[in-house]
Amino acid sequence: ELWPAAVAARARIVAMQRGPEAALEALAELPDSTPDLTAPPNAEILREQVLLLQAAKRGKEAEQTLAAALAAHPEDAVFLETRAA
């Protein structure tokens, strides 16, 4: 889907310009309701959020976010790839 890819790309741009914390804030302030990051269609957003959390030295939160997605969909390729990164 285009929307998750666009949200993830926007977060990357914000992170490059203003840092990972600003990008995480941008993700939290999405105009629509917060996407379900445990849903496979939103895997690109989840991956970006996990990378941003790690960059912001919030590794435990990154692990918890990813663990919730894997618990819901243990065979999802993007979730598994994110875990390996």
Side-chain angles (χ1 to χ4, degrees):
E1 275 188 47
L2 179 59
W3 189 80
V7 169
R10 180 176 177 268
R12 279 190 296 278
I13 292 168
V14 171
M16 287 188 293
Q17 293 175 342
R18 298 184 304 171
E21 287 292 346
L24 288 165
E25 287 177 26
L27 284 176
E29 296 171 353
L30 290 172
D32 295 333
S33 61
T34 303
D36 177 6
L37 297 183
T38 65
N42 295 321
E44 287 185 67
I45 301 170
L46 173 109
R47 177 176 38 210
E48 193 61 34
Q49 183 173 13
V50 166
L51 293 172
L52 291 168
L53 287 166
Q54 291 171 339
K57 309 288 191 240
R58 293 164 56 182
K60 185 171 181 87
E61 192 175 341
E63 290 175 20
Q64 292 170 342
T65 301
L66 184 54
L70 284 168
H73 299 279
E75 301 299 320
D76 185 77
V78 178
F79 293 161
L80 292 169
E81 177 189 0
T82 302
R83 181 180 67 187

